Amino acid sequence: MGTVERRRRSGASALTLLCATALLAVAGMSGVAQAAPLPEPGAKSLEQVRKEIDELYRRAGTATDAYNLAEGEAKAQSAKIVEIAKQVVAGQDRITALKNRAGAAARAQYRSGGMPAGAQLALSSSPSQFLDGADRIRRGEKAATDLMSEMNRTQSDLQQYAKDASAQWEKLEANRIKQETSKKQIEQKIKAAEALESKLQAEEKARLIQLEQEAQYKAQSAWLSTGVLKEINSSASESGKKAIQYATAQMGKPYVWGAEGPDSFDCSGLTSQAWRAAGKGIPRTSQEQLRLLPKVAIKDMRPGDLIIYFDDASHVGMYVGDGAIVHAPRPGRNVTLTGAGSMPIKAVVRPDA
């Protein structure tokens, strides 16, 4: 059995154990729940707190996608500005060279006494000199025309470079503003979620994790009850196996928004780096992965494919087989395995179609 297959089976076993643990937790907590004191009037239930925290982190994920996209565009625009600057320098050097050529022509005319070439030709003493002179005049006139055309064209290019640079600077500034806005939104949502969690007692925090697992298990069970796994039987491609190997090797590393390794990841940072390790560059964000990568039906899904979650495509995980994904869940959680159906599936995309 190969390394990737052993890892996949081990991951599936871990997922099965996780689901079983969630079931035991549900049964085990029933007695505790009966003994717990009644909540104060108007107080939020722990389940309400869980949903509120989940929603805050999901919105933070949406803002993270916007931040990552703006960051990628800003890098591209910065690179374009650098390229334009190189073109400007080359154009200025070309103008200098053309002016030097024009100056050399003017100096040559001065050395000839300043007499126009036509006048010198008219004073030639022999027919052969006349013909040679006429040919030189034609060549000289063409060279002068070409020189002026090239100078005008280069000047026009420099003006266009200036316009392009100005446009790129405007886009860069717009993306900087978008980044700052998204960053504030991310930080606000995460702080609000952390503030909610910080108010919980240790026992409530433990119960919150159990509620998360129970909600995931319930959604996964509903997904599996449709018989979907009977239809999903495709094997991973060679590059897909490499992507899975990279992604599963990151398990246990923390989620950090905007991170793409090697010590921490956000959800799309993990999937994009996994496929980069497999030799395939893909878009950085889950929304761009959805927009630009080929879509496949769930029944045709194979390990290595990416599953995009939620209506706003704010989350992504990598399918590893046996109904499981590896993903970076949210701040405060680590890269882990979970059920592929534990969140609302929007689409499945294939990086190596």
Side-chain angles (χ1 to χ4, degrees), residues 1-333:
M1 186 184 297
T3 301
V4 173
E5 182 64 21
R6 284 198 301 272
R7 185 185 296 277
R8 192 163 69 86
R9 290 185 179 277
S10 175
S13 298
L15 179 63
T16 302
L17 180 59
L18 178 64
C19 291
T21 302
L23 278 177
L24 290 173
V26 174
M29 286 301 297
S30 59
V32 176
Q34 292 173 0
L38 293 173
E40 296 178 5
K44 294 180 181 178
S45 70
L46 197 56
E47 176 63 11
Q48 288 175 318
V49 172
R50 180 194 70 78
K51 289 181 178 179
E52 190 171 342
I53 289 173
D54 281 352
E55 180 63 16
L56 285 167
Y57 279 128
R58 194 182 68 76
R59 291 182 182 179
T62 302
T64 297
D65 243 19
Y67 176 90
N68 289 335
L69 181 60
E71 183 180 44
E73 290 176 345
K75 287 179 180 178
Q77 285 144 11
S78 294
K80 182 64 176 176
I81 289 170
V82 170
E83 182 60 31
I84 291 173
K86 291 178 180 178
Q87 292 173 330
V88 169
V89 170
Q92 290 173 336
D93 289 345
R94 185 64 180 156
I95 288 289
T96 300
L98 292 171
K99 287 181 177 179
N100 288 339
R101 280 171 54 189
R107 288 191 295 273
Q109 185 175 352
Y110 176 78
R111 286 195 296 271
S112 67
M115 184 181 293
Q120 294 181 37
L121 178 60
L123 296 176
S124 60
S125 58
S126 70
S128 61
Q129 286 179 338
F130 182 89
L131 292 174
D132 289 344
D135 185 57
R136 286 196 300 274
I137 288 175
R138 283 194 295 271
R139 292 199 303 269
E141 288 175 345
K142 184 178 185 304
T145 300
D146 290 347
L147 178 62
M148 290 304 298
S149 295
E150 191 169 355
M151 286 184 70
N152 290 335
R153 188 167 55 251
T154 304
Q155 289 282 14
S156 178
D157 288 344
L158 286 173
Q159 291 174 354
Q160 186 59 49
Y161 294 154
K163 290 180 181 178
D164 290 346
S166 177
Q168 291 299 326
W169 275 114
E170 288 178 4
K171 290 180 181 178
L172 189 64
E173 177 62 13
N175 275 309
R176 184 189 66 78
I177 294 171
K178 281 199 294 187
Q179 278 181 276
E180 289 184 354
T181 300
S182 295
K183 183 178 180 181
K184 289 178 182 177
Q185 291 175 345
I186 294 165
E187 291 173 341
Q188 287 172 356
K189 302 303 181 189
I190 291 176
K191 284 180 180 178
E194 289 175 343
L196 280 174
E197 288 188 272
S198 68
K199 295 176 182 178
L200 302 176
Q201 301 297 322
E203 295 82 358
E204 291 176 314
K205 290 180 180 178
R207 176 60 178 151
L208 184 66
I209 294 174
Q210 289 177 329
L211 287 174
E212 288 178 3
Q213 293 173 347
E214 290 166 18
Q216 291 169 5
Y217 177 78
K218 183 178 180 181
Q220 175 74 353
S221 297
W223 185 66
L224 293 177
S225 68
T226 64
V228 65
L229 282 190
K230 295 178 182 178
E231 298 180 323
I232 303 173
N233 53 21
S234 300
S235 300
S237 64
E238 287 305 311
S239 54
K241 291 176 183 177
K242 293 177 182 177
I244 292 170
Q245 186 175 24
Y246 178 94
T248 53
Q250 313 312 311
M251 288 172 60
K253 293 183 179 179
Y255 177 108
V256 173
W257 68 266
E260 48 189 336
D263 300 320
S264 57
F265 297 86
D266 62 21
C267 65
S268 57
L270 176 66
T271 54
S272 60
Q273 288 302 308
W275 271 101
R276 185 185 296 267
K280 178 73 174 179
I282 66 172
R284 169 64 177 85
T285 71
S286 56
Q287 293 172 349
E288 289 296 282
Q289 289 168 3
L290 172 66
R291 188 173 72 88
L292 298 175
L293 296 179
K295 298 177 180 63
V296 297
I298 291 178
K299 65 181 181 62
D300 298 322
M301 185 166 60
R302 70 188 186 195
D305 288 346
L306 305 182
I307 303 180
I308 310 296
Y309 292 98
F310 303 108
D311 287 340
D312 58 1
S314 58
H315 192 68
V316 60
M318 179 180 292
Y319 186 62
V320 296
D322 297 325
I325 61 165
V326 60
H327 73 145
R330 66 166 177 81
R333 300 290 184 263

